[in-house]
Each structure stands twice: as structure tokens, then as C-alpha cells.
Amino acid sequence: MQVNENFEPVIVAFCCNWCSYAGADLSGTNRLNYPANVKIIRVPCSCRVNPMFILRAFQKGADGVILCGCHPGDCHYTSGNYFTRRRITLLYSMLDFLGIERNRTRLEWVSAAEGAKFAAVMNQFVADVKKLGPNRRLEDLRCRKQ
Amino acid sequence: MQETIIKRAKELLADGTVNRVIGWKRGEFVYDITPAVFETAEEIDAEFVFDDFTQANVSKYLIKESRKEGKILAFLKPCDTYSFNQLVKEHRINRENVYVIGIPGGPKLDIEKIKAKGITGILDVKNENYTLKIKTLYGEETMPFYEAISGKCADCKSKKHVVYDELIGEDGDVLESNRFDMVEKLENMTAQERYDFWRGELSKCIRCNACRNVCPACTCENCVFDNPSSGVSNKAAADSFEENMFHIIRAFHVAGRCTDCGECSRVCPQNIPLHLLNRKFIKDINSLYGEYQAGADTTSKAPLNDYNTDDCEPSIVHERGVE
Amino acid sequence: MLKISADKLNDLFDAISAKQTLYIPVDREAGSAEYKKYESGMEMSRGLNTVRSAKDFFFPQTENLADFKMNGKNIEVIDIREESEDFVIFGVRACDARSFTILDKVFLAEPVDSYYKNRRDHGTVVTMACTRPAETCFCTTFGIDPTAPEGDAAVFSDGENYFFKANNEKGQAFIDSISDMLQDGDTEKLEKIQENTREIMKKLPLANLSTDSFGGERLMEHFSSEKWAELSESCLGCGTCTFVCPTCQCYDIRDFDTGNGIKRFRCWDSCMYSDFTKMAHGNSRNSQLERFRQRFMHKLVYFPANNNGEFGCVGCGRCLSKCPISMNIVKVMKALEVK
């Protein structure tokens, strides 16, 4: 696949307040690098993320969307992320069914102690989306930057 | 069958078991049948119809009707009983106010399938030994009955009535159907082919909302797409993205609750195979979280209201099929 | 009359589309047709009518009206209007051709809708006479002759040839522009076919449907009718009838935030929708009965009241074949008929 080296994707990362957001913080305090392409949106729990949020992120210009939450079993609200897991599996499967590239969506469990993992995940995800190029299949043409 | 149904409806009205009957009313032509509520034996005699064209699922109307004074009699085909049961489970229908009579299901005829053969000016359609004799303005036409059956009947999943107070005719069984074949065929395509397929279909959408409004599982008082304060309301798809979003969310919101009654595709004026989106969710749920049939009972936990600690990760999407 | 033989039709399409954009009805899948931009080799649909009406060409389902951009504390308003290109719609049926007359009354009345007018000025409507009406057709009820359609120019088929007739100057200019491909032809067979079609029209199931019971003067009588409850009881509140209707002209205007500016757009709206009359104070039509009544009152009473008795329906029959619950204007007219 042709890779446009100059393409800088917009990545939206939904991070749960209790684990992944703290994980992102930790990766910052540890001075670990992750690309500035990643725009973090803090949510109270990964299960707050309505499928519509993910679609809307794509509409408004995201090239990739990643959802991060506490590891299964560690949810601050006991079971939120278990529901997330089922819901997001079905959503991603549906996006795949509609022919949207699989690598534009991802779910990762990142705890508050996993600053290094957060940075690694984001580096990998940005690289993957970069390979895919700009989001064209699930974009709203009206929102494309002129 | 129609006589038996009418006779029973009049009996139940006469003895006071019910004060209304929901069924189907004859139209201008042989095929344009409208769901209707009947209050008297005279109305029933004059207009009640049950034939090869009575496809409409009346269970959604019972949300409103079951909250009215008195009991209503509903005639439900096997597929309708699943929708009804699901609504009872979600506390949308007041079960005590409905007297359910299970009646035999299809296969029903779809007039569009007849028109698709280029037959126009249709004045009458008669089924003689599974050959349709079609009287038109331009002469007689014939076609095999099974070529004209509705898409939802062609993929019938069950002849069993999952809920009833009384049955007319025999009860059937859950069927082995091939209803996931088309979903599987799409899954085996490349992402580009799938994308092209769905763009071709969804770009036909005129956002009439018929699929949503007819759906017995879509029962929100105020849909997010109709609510200007939701930020995503739209009356027409101004961009292909909005076509995708509407149909993904419509199908997603009924995932785990959709009984696969097929009404969405039946009513689509543009003949978009919308049921495939719902079936994709059903197929995924069945394969990932165990076989589940919405509406089959009123006690089980819906798959999206439930979880196992060892459920698969969303990355499973990457492991299946081709991209 | 000038004619072209049927096997040369595509040559004609090629010639027209070389000069301007041409739209023709094509079969999408068996039994349903849609208008498509002509590309060489496309077959014109022989089917009766398209699922969507031809109103899209002049009044599209969505269209951008203006853009706004924020520059500091100033808002810049960008007029995005451009002169429309010339185009031809070929094969419009008599019912749809009449619908343009109805839409004109709305959009070309003061204040003129410049978006609509722009396209109307640049579009040439070439109609096609009907020969095989469907059972759902009732255009004659509204005084339309499907064998002699309106539009800028009309085309008639006798099976072997297509004959051309101009209805106005624009139509004449269109025929002049293709006259080198046309030749004089004998219309004897055509007249027989027209006569035959008129006979079929008389035998249609809805041939005797009458508008006598409707019009502006019967406003209160119909508005207060008790029949509406029964007629509307199974209405799903979807917009199918509205969106396949060639004469429904209500729209909504919304702003869309693109993230780098605002797009003000309009889109078709339906009086069947629950938020159609939603305003700051609330909603003036809270029940489906009221919404349902509005749609039919508009077509059968309010519109003629404001337009010299012209009804807001052309009898194309689309709502008859597409309504999910088969409730339609014909059933309403029959129920409300004043005996």
C-alpha cells in the first residue's frame, strides 16, 4: 500500500477517567513519547461511550478512533467495561461489515499504572492509521478541511 | 381461515372477553391492506381480511392499544408473536389487556415481487394450487406462488407461536432457515466490495423513517434522530455519512432486541435490504455470546444487558474473514 | 409530426448529452426505476414511473443555501449560489410534469425562491406519454391527460417510433437542437395507441374518483370530520408518502457545524413527522391524527383554497404503492366523500 509520509492522521482516544486517562497522565510524567495526533476525550467510564460518539468522531474529521478503559475486572464501577466490550465488539464488527477499514478502530485496556503501554499503543495505532491514509469511507464531506 | 378468524373474533366481542379487535382491513385493491382496530361485528363483517397479502405485523400497535380501557383481541402470526413477546418483556405492552390468538403464518405474497415481473395494472390475484392467476388491465398473467412470496417469509425462522391465549390451527416448529446466508456472503467479500455494496444500497435511502417507525423494537418516545437537542437529529441525509450513521445506529439500537421479523425491509420504499444489518448483529451475537432469539421468552437477559468475564475482545473482528 | 425510430433513441441521447446533462429513467432492479444521469449505452426504462418523483431536479432532498465563517468576532456570510448548468430530463410522465406547475405556484410566487428558479430556468422537461397505466394511476381525476403530457416538449411512442411535439418555446428550442436527427412521420398508428390508452384510462379501478367533495369552501366540514380518527389510526408517522410525492414541498432549514464553518442547508420535511411544527413554545400538532389530517387537508382543501381550485395532488399513485400500511389519498378521498 502506498503510504503518504506527510499524512498526519487525527486520532480520537476516548479514555476512562479512572484508568486510561491516568495512564495517559503517567506516560506524560514519565516523559514517554506518543504522537500529538492523539486527541484525548475523557469519559467517566469506557461504557459511557455510545456508538454514536465513535461515529461522530469520524464525522468530524477523525481518521481513527481508539477507546481505552480499565482492564476487565478492574472497572471502577465493577462491570462497566464488560458491557463496553460486548457493545464495542458488535459495533466494530458492524463497521467492518460496512466495509470500513478495521484498523481505524481499536479498543485497548490501559490501567493507571500502564503509562508505557499507553504510549506504545498510541504509537502503534497512529502508525497503523497512517498506513491507511485519510478516512474516506466514513467521512462527512462537509467537514473535510479545505 | 378468514371465516374461522372472523367467527372467533365476533364470539369474543359478543361474550365481552374483549371490546376491540386488531387485525387487517381490505383496501382498494387486492393487496393494499391496512392494519385496523374493529369495535363491532358489523365492521368486522364488512372489512376484516386475512389472506395471502396480510403481511403487516400488528404487535407494535399494541403498545398504545394495550394502554386503553378494556381488552383487545390480537391475531398474531408466528413471527408477530416474537415481536409481541419482546415488547411484553420490555414492559411496553400491558399483557393483561391483550387476548392473543395465534394464527398460521405465511408464506405471504409481496405485490412488489409480482410487479417486478413487469406485471402492471393488477386487478386481482388468485392462488390456485400455488400458481398465481393474475388478472390485469392488459390480460391474464400467471406466475408460480413461491416466486412472489415476501422476502421475510422466504427466510422464515419459525412457525412456532411463542405466546398465545388460544390457537387457531396447528402450532409449528422453529425452522432451520438459511437466513444468514446473505450476511455470510457479504462477510466473505473484501472490505472494498462490502463498502461498494452498502454504498449502493444505502445511497438509495430517502430517510422516510419507515424502517424505524414500523419496527416493533424501535419504541423510543423521542428518537435521537428526531430530537433537535441531540445534536445529531437530521431529517435527510445531507451526506453519505449520515446515511451510514442512521442505519448503523438504527440497527444497533435494536441489537439483541430485534426478533428478525423483517418489517424494515418489507416497508422500505427503495427496497434496501435493511434486515441484513440486523441479521449481522444477530449472527454476531449468536456466534460470540451464544444462541439467542429475542422474543422467544420474557425472562432471559438480553445479550447486550449481560456479560461474561471471559467474553472475546473486539480484536476478534480482525481475526475473522477477509478484509 | 417529427419522429425518430425507436432503435435510434440512444443515438439521440448521445447527441443530447454531448451538449448538456441528460437525465433519463433507468431500471434499477426489476420493477423499479430511477432517474440517472445518462451515460452512453444506458437503456431507458420502459417501466411506468420512477419510485422517486422528478421533483428532485428542481427541489432536491437536501441543498446547501449559504456558508458562514467566523473571522474573530465577525461572521462572514458566503453566498454559494452558482448559475445552474443546462440540463434535460427526458421521459417525465404527465403526472410529474403537472407537479412542476404546482411546485411553481409555491416556489415562483413572491418572494421567488432563487434556488428553485435557477434550476427551473435551466432545465428542459421532456415528457413521455403513457401507454400502460398502472392500477394505481388516477391522474385523470385531476384533469391530466396522460396521452398528451405537459412539459416543455412531449414525446409519444407508437412502439416503433418516438414522436416529438413542442409545448412551449423552450421545448421548440430543444426540438430544433435535435431536428437534424428527426424526420417527418405518419401518426396514424400513434393516434390509435392514444385512443387505446384513453379507453384503458376509463377502465382503471380509480377512474371514477372525483374531487367534487373537496376544495377550499369545504374547510370546516372536512377539518371536523370524525373520519380522521379511523383513517389515521394505523399511520406510522413515517415520511414515505411525503418523500415519494411529486408535489409535497415542505422543507426545513438547519445549520450544520462542520467544525470549520457553518453550512446552512435545507432538506425535505414531512408534516407526518412529530417535530414538523415544533417551535419554541412547543408543538401545535401533537397527535398523529392532526399531522395526518394536515397532509391531506393541504392537498385537498388548503392548496386549492389558495390556488384557484387547483389541487395539490397529481394522481401519480406513488403513495398508493409505497405506503407501508397502505393508507393513502384515495382512501381518504373516498372516506370523506360528500354524498
Side-chain angles (χ1 to χ4, degrees), chain A residues 11-108:
Chain A
I11 304 293
V12 171
F14 291 99
C15 292
C16 105
N17 178 53
W18 305 99
C19 293
S20 312
Y21 194 78
D25 241 359
L26 184 63
S27 93
T29 38
N30 285 353
R31 302 185 154 221
L32 296 168
N33 282 329
Y34 70 87
N37 308 54
V38 180
K39 321 285 179 207
I40 295 180
I41 296 177
R42 181 162 66 155
V43 288
C45 174
S46 60
C47 115
R48 172 68 185 91
V49 176
N50 180 323
M52 193 93 90
F53 291 6
I54 291 172
L55 298 183
R56 289 268 279 170
F58 281 116
Q59 179 182 28
K60 296 287 171 128
D63 298 297
V65 177
I66 181 166
L67 172 56
C68 301
C70 310
H71 284 266
D74 292 346
C75 178
H76 183 78
Y77 308 100
T78 317
S79 57
N81 53 6
Y82 287 125
F83 293 106
T84 308
R85 188 159 62 178
R86 283 201 171 187
R87 196 183 298 158
I88 296 301
T89 303
L90 290 185
L91 177 71
Y92 288 180
S93 176
M94 177 52 74
L95 292 178
D96 178 51
F97 190 59
L98 292 174
I100 314 302
E101 302 92 336
R102 291 170 182 175
N103 283 342
R104 290 202 190 279
T105 50
R106 187 164 301 178
L107 179 138
E108 287 289 343

Side-chain angles (χ1 to χ4, degrees), chain B residues 7-222:
Chain B
K7 181 164 164 277
R8 193 65 191 126
K10 290 199 287 192
E11 281 168 12
L12 288 167
L13 268 181
D15 70 16
T17 311
V18 297
N19 64 4
R20 286 159 299 140
V21 179
I22 187 163
W24 304 268
K25 189 156 90 177
R26 185 170 288 117
E28 287 297 315
F29 311 109
V30 63
Y31 55 81
D32 61 333
I33 287 157
T34 303
V37 177
F38 303 86
E39 287 181 5
T40 64
E42 293 72 48
E43 281 171 24
I44 292 177
D45 275 330
E47 299 189 293
F48 193 101
V49 59
F50 181 76
D51 62 18
D52 287 339
F53 284 104
T54 40
Q55 277 198 70
N57 178 351
V58 296
S59 36
K60 191 174 186 180
Y61 292 110
L62 293 167
I63 297 172
K64 205 168 70 188
E65 291 298 333
S66 72
R67 293 168 196 206
K68 291 182 180 166
E69 193 65 32
K71 209 164 181 169
I72 186 164
L73 167 61
F75 291 103
L76 300 181
K77 297 177 264 100
C79 46
D80 306 344
T81 61
Y82 285 84
S83 309
F84 178 84
N85 224 18
Q86 181 66 25
L87 286 165
V88 169
K89 179 178 177 176
E90 293 170 15
H91 308 286
R92 302 291 285 139
I93 285 177
N94 181 358
R95 179 70 182 87
E96 279 156 21
N97 274 347
V98 189
Y99 190 89
V100 176
I101 297 188
I103 52 173
K108 299 287 180 187
L109 294 175
D110 181 354
I111 194 69
E112 300 260 330
K113 292 263 170 78
I114 298 177
K115 290 183 176 173
K117 293 272 175 195
I119 301 174
T120 185
I122 298 165
L123 302 174
D124 195 21
V125 180
K126 284 219 158 52
N127 174 13
E128 287 175 14
N129 291 323
Y130 294 97
T131 298
L132 296 181
K133 305 267 187 219
I134 305 156
K135 207 176 129 206
T136 82
L137 285 162
Y138 309 100
E140 294 265 342
E141 302 267 4
T142 58
M143 76 182 278
F145 178 88
Y146 279 96
E147 284 181 20
I149 63 170
S150 154
K152 66 186 230 174
C153 294
D155 290 338
C156 181
K157 64 179 181 292
S158 173
K159 296 265 183 207
K160 183 175 175 232
H161 295 82
V162 288
V163 56
Y164 55 83
D165 295 307
E166 172 182 327
L167 264 185
I168 291 181
E170 300 273 298
D171 202 5
D173 294 313
V174 175
L175 305 176
E176 286 283 328
S177 78
N178 299 323
R179 62 186 171 129
F180 296 116
D181 285 4
M182 187 59 197
V183 175
E184 213 160 286
K185 196 176 150 201
L186 282 164
E187 285 172 344
N188 290 328
M189 290 179 177
T190 64
Q192 182 68 47
E193 286 168 338
R194 282 197 296 272
Y195 177 75
D196 293 341
F197 173 84
W198 282 112
R199 279 311 324 136
E201 292 297 343
L202 297 181
S203 63
K204 296 193 288 191
C205 176
I206 56 172
R207 265 311 291 281
C208 63
N209 293 319
C211 50
R212 180 193 74 185
N213 291 14
V214 79
C215 176
C218 269
T219 62
C220 294
E221 299 283 331
N222 191 359

Side-chain angles (χ1 to χ4, degrees), chain C residues 8-250:
Chain C
K8 296 264 169 55
L9 188 64
N10 268 53
D11 296 342
L12 178 69
F13 288 160
D14 287 332
I16 301 171
S17 63
K19 280 178 257 175
Q20 48 188 329
T21 310
L22 169 67
Y23 297 94
I24 61 166
V26 292
D27 282 331
R28 184 167 56 200
E29 59 231 28
S32 87
E34 65 180 336
Y35 285 102
K36 273 208 164 140
K37 191 171 165 176
Y38 177 78
E39 282 164 27
S40 203
M42 258 183 197
E43 276 284 315
M44 186 170 74
S45 169
R46 299 291 187 274
L48 192 72
N49 219 340
T50 50
V51 175
R52 288 174 78 149
S53 81
K55 77 174 170 186
D56 295 55
F57 291 108
F58 302 120
F59 175 44
Q61 184 157 20
T62 59
E63 84 179 295
N64 220 17
L65 301 179
D67 287 353
F68 304 119
K69 277 215 162 32
M70 293 288 290
N71 289 325
K73 283 192 171 173
N74 295 319
I75 298 175
E76 186 192 348
V77 181
I78 304 161
D79 188 349
I80 49 95
R81 278 176 294 184
E82 281 173 9
E83 198 70 12
S84 164
E85 54 168 17
D86 286 335
F87 63 96
V88 176
I89 328 169
F90 194 98
V92 176
R93 298 288 169 176
C95 44
D96 281 6
R98 172 66 62 85
S99 79
F100 301 145
T101 319
I102 292 171
L103 295 177
D104 285 350
K105 285 187 170 29
V106 178
F107 291 112
L108 298 184
E110 284 299 326
V112 172
D113 185 301
S114 55
Y115 299 86
Y116 177 85
K117 185 171 186 296
N118 184 6
R119 283 184 285 261
R120 197 79 174 89
D121 287 345
H122 288 272
T124 306
V125 176
V126 182
T127 50
M128 175 73 72
C130 297
T131 52
R132 272 172 81 85
E135 72 279 9
T136 48
C137 291
F138 57 109
C139 58
T140 46
T141 299
F142 299 99
I144 297 168
D145 181 358
T147 62
E150 298 164 358
D152 300 317
V155 177
F156 309 84
S157 166
D158 69 358
E160 291 155 12
N161 300 290
Y162 289 99
F163 293 85
F164 288 77
K165 177 174 158 276
N167 287 334
N168 60 23
E169 278 173 27
K170 202 194 249 179
Q172 191 58 52
F174 168 74
I175 293 177
D176 290 345
S177 75
I178 54 165
S179 58
D180 55 332
M181 303 190 74
L182 306 178
Q183 62 215 115
D184 256 321
D186 182 16
T187 56
E188 197 183 329
K189 190 175 169 201
L190 175 66
E191 277 152 28
K192 272 197 194 123
I193 285 182
Q194 284 177 314
E195 194 43 49
N196 185 32
T197 309
R198 283 191 207 106
E199 284 306 310
I200 296 169
M201 293 308 292
K202 284 183 203 150
K203 284 187 278 182
L204 288 181
L206 305 176
N208 297 321
L209 189 69
S210 156
T211 56
D212 291 351
S213 307
F214 303 95
E217 65 283 3
R218 297 203 189 255
L219 196 151
M220 286 322 290
E221 181 184 351
H222 287 316
F223 189 87
S224 328
S225 170
E226 286 170 5
K227 302 266 175 56
W228 293 114
E230 193 190 327
L231 288 167
S232 66
E233 70 179 353
S234 37
C235 177
L236 298 171
C238 76
T240 306
C241 50
T242 316
F243 291 173
V244 298
C245 179
T247 68
C248 270
Q249 75 288 107
C250 293

Side-chain angles (χ1 to χ4, degrees), chain A residues 50-52 55-56 58-60 72 78-79 82-103 105-107 109 132 136-142, chain B residues 183 186 191-192 194-195 198 224 231-232 238-239 241-242 244-245 248-249 252 276-277 280-281 284-285 288-289 303-309 311-314 316-318 320-323:
Chain A
N50 180 323
M52 193 93 90
L55 298 183
R56 289 268 279 170
F58 281 116
Q59 179 182 28
K60 296 287 171 128
T78 317
S79 57
Y82 287 125
F83 293 106
T84 308
R85 188 159 62 178
R86 283 201 171 187
R87 196 183 298 158
I88 296 301
T89 303
L90 290 185
L91 177 71
Y92 288 180
S93 176
M94 177 52 74
L95 292 178
D96 178 51
F97 190 59
L98 292 174
I100 314 302
E101 302 92 336
R102 291 170 182 175
N103 283 342
T105 50
R106 187 164 301 178
L107 179 138
W109 310 120
L132 290 174
R136 289 290 176 256
R137 292 184 183 171
L138 199 57
E139 81 166 341
D140 191 319
L141 266 176
R142 297 170 299 176
Chain B
V183 175
L186 282 164
Q192 182 68 47
R194 282 197 296 272
Y195 177 75
W198 282 112
V224 67
V232 292
D239 188 273
F241 174 85
E242 288 186 335
N244 286 338
M245 176 162 79
I248 294 170
I249 298 298
F252 196 97
L276 294 177
L277 296 173
K280 169 65 179 166
F281 281 127
D284 276 352
I285 288 169
L288 301 174
Y289 310 123
L304 283 176
N305 290 352
D306 199 9
Y307 63 87
N308 282 322
T309 51
D311 279 336
C312 62
E313 294 291 329
I316 193 161
V317 175
H318 294 253
R320 294 180 312 166
V322 284
E323 163 134 28

